[in-house]
Amino acid sequence: MSKQWSGSRRLRVLAGVASAAMVAALVSACGGSSSDSGGDTVYFGVSGPKTGASAEYGRLWQQGFDLALEQVNAAGGINGKKVALKWEDSQSDPKQTVPIATKFVGDNSIIAELGDFSSPASIAASPVYNRGKLVQYGFTNSSVDFTKGGDYSWSPSITLDVFQERNAQWVQAKAKKVSVVYLETDWGKQAFQFFQQSAKDKGIEIAYSSSILPDSQDFRPVLIKGRDANPDAFVHLGYGPDGALIVKQLRDVGYKGQFFGGQNTPQFIQLAGTAAEGDIVNGIFAPTDTSLKVQDFVTKFKAKFNTDPGDFNVYAYDAINVLVKAAKHGGATREGILKGLREVKDFDGIGLGNSFAFDQQTRRPSGVKPIELLLKNGAFVPTGNK
């Protein structure tokens, strides 16, 4: 190799690095702009699972989004501008959410981001959104750490500490001794820590506990140990698909006691079948709620999708409406969304109550609590306990 060729090659490499740096600087600069494209449509970016293990949640989100957008645009959109989504399939994988965040920050037509599904996936991308000054609305992110990412990280989700304090309260009414399984993830470990502390405070003995791998299909070795600890109840801290396997395999190994776990989703009910009858979960919504607002939503959802809505349909539906209201108040720009979230005092939703404002320190709603749901005859119904 000649010295002349080597020097020329070195110059080309340096030129490439300089070009990449210029592009990165332009993307960063775009992130700080007003992000109003001047067109007739404004966009929310969605980072969420359409494929992979969490794809079912993306499907439920899509239904909630579709109904909300249909209603919003029929009513004139945001100050006359149509609202649409730009969706990137993250598989709820932290390794994928970061480049998606970079893409969204660099797209001037996107005025806010929705997602991701899991807290770890969202937290990984938070630095990008906060540097780019693009609101990251993690509407299913219950980790207490999510909104600590910065001024642009917001969530309406009830936090894990509140969920698990209520979980322990409802367990206490039926059990003095429990076995617990929880997901071997950052979210699962945090959920168990909060449940463990609340259980201790309420005098509940945890006779056995074990983490479980999210992608496992056979939990019976762990469940047999939990069964043999002779608990009054079995507590599962995880998601719908693993919860369905847990409760079915619990019944297979002969455990007949009370089960607390799974999620308020059609997938959990379908996969778990009769094994989950009598299950108790934390929830935000039940289609049997008799309020006019909820029944109007349920009627329209069933007419469009021929099924009852569940929590994750409601999370998505409410998320669109909250961001639209924020933009109507502050303007259809990135700064306008942030202004609206800070200033509007009367947000509402199907799963968030009749009126709420965001606490400006935590960037979460004040005073929103989960409700206790009981699986009865194949449907979750509220018990009336608060």
Side-chain angles (χ1 to χ4, degrees):
M1 181 187 296
S2 70
K3 290 182 180 179
Q4 181 180 2
W5 188 91
S6 177
S8 174
R9 181 173 180 271
R10 192 159 46 245
L11 287 172
R12 289 198 301 272
V13 170
L14 289 172
V17 169
S19 297
M22 290 176 65
V23 170
L26 287 171
V27 168
S28 177
C30 287
S33 74
S34 69
S35 305
D36 187 346
S37 62
D40 295 328
T41 302
V42 293
Y43 294 91
F44 299 141
V46 180
S47 173
K50 283 213 162 182
T51 60
S54 299
E56 175 67 6
Y57 296 99
R59 185 185 73 82
L60 297 175
W61 283 12
Q62 186 71 67
Q63 290 176 330
F65 290 154
D66 286 351
L67 181 58
L69 289 172
E70 181 181 287
Q71 295 172 350
V72 164
N73 288 324
I78 300 175
N79 303 331
K81 292 190 174 187
K82 181 182 176 181
V83 184
L85 304 178
K86 291 187 177 182
W87 188 311
E88 292 289 332
D89 178 13
S90 68
Q91 298 188 331
S92 203
D93 179 354
K95 294 189 291 294
Q96 298 190 49
T97 56
V98 175
I100 289 171
T102 302
K103 182 175 183 177
F104 283 168
V105 165
D107 184 342
N108 255 17
S109 69
I110 293 174
I111 63 171
E113 184 267 347
L114 292 152
D116 206 279
F117 165 65
S118 73
S119 295
S122 292
I123 289 170
S126 290
V128 179
Y129 289 116
N130 279 274
R131 285 197 301 269
K133 298 183 178 179
L134 176 64
V135 164
Q136 177 190 26
Y137 196 67
F139 61 99
T140 61
N141 295 155
S142 57
S143 169
V144 296
D145 296 322
F146 168 66
T147 57
K148 296 176 183 177
D151 291 345
Y152 290 82
S153 297
W154 296 71
S155 177
S157 179
I158 299 166
T159 51
L160 275 175
D161 54 342
V162 176
F163 265 126
Q164 295 311 324
E165 188 280 328
R166 286 304 170 103
N167 201 14
Q169 176 183 319
W170 296 325
V171 169
Q172 183 186 35
K174 292 185 176 292
K176 296 300 181 186
K177 183 169 74 169
V178 298
S179 290
V180 184
V181 292
Y182 57 94
L183 287 178
E184 180 63 34
T185 63
D186 290 341
W187 179 92
K189 293 173 185 176
Q190 191 176 83
F192 177 64
Q193 287 172 358
F194 285 124
F195 179 80
Q196 187 177 40
Q197 183 58 57
S198 291
K200 180 180 179 182
D201 293 343
K202 298 178 189 303
I204 301 167
E205 177 189 352
I206 298 179
Y208 174 80
S209 64
S210 177
S211 63
I212 55 173
L213 296 175
D215 56 354
S216 178
Q217 295 296 305
D218 186 2
F219 302 108
R220 283 170 292 191
V222 167
L223 299 180
I224 288 169
K225 292 178 182 178
R227 177 202 66 189
D228 291 347
N230 297 315
D232 303 321
F234 221 101
V235 178
H236 160 256
L237 306 176
Y239 299 144
D242 47 282
L245 284 173
I246 290 286
V247 71
K248 288 182 74 173
Q249 291 173 16
L250 261 180
R251 304 313 182 200
D252 288 344
V253 300
Y255 183 75
K256 295 183 168 65
Q258 177 66 50
F259 181 69
F260 292 84
Q263 286 180 316
N264 179 17
T265 66
Q267 184 189 36
F268 171 75
I269 296 171
Q270 180 182 5
L271 291 176
T274 58
E277 187 72 8
D279 176 31
I280 292 174
V281 299
N282 280 306
I284 62 164
F285 160 84
T288 56
D289 187 318
T290 57
S291 75
L292 292 177
K293 180 175 71 172
V294 170
Q295 284 307 305
D296 179 64
F297 165 73
V298 171
T299 298
K300 290 174 180 174
F301 189 93
K302 289 181 73 172
K304 188 172 180 66
F305 300 110
N306 197 34
T307 186
D308 279 332
D311 278 5
F312 289 88
N313 302 125
V314 171
Y315 278 124
Y317 179 87
D318 284 351
I320 293 290
N321 283 297
V322 165
L323 291 187
V324 166
K325 187 164 187 172
K328 284 181 177 180
H329 174 87
T333 65
R334 295 182 178 183
E335 291 87 348
I337 289 279
L338 185 64
K339 178 180 171 67
L341 290 173
R342 285 174 169 169
E343 295 180 359
V344 173
K345 304 302 181 186
D346 61 346
F347 288 113
D348 63 1
I350 302 303
L352 293 168
N354 292 325
S355 182
F356 73 90
F358 283 93
D359 181 297
Q360 297 302 303
Q361 298 302 312
T362 65
R363 290 177 293 284
R364 292 185 186 269
S366 301
V368 179
K369 302 290 186 184
I371 59 176
E372 184 182 43
L373 299 174
L374 172 71
L375 189 61
K376 184 176 181 181
N377 299 323
F380 278 111
V381 296
T383 65
N385 294 331
K386 302 201 177 194

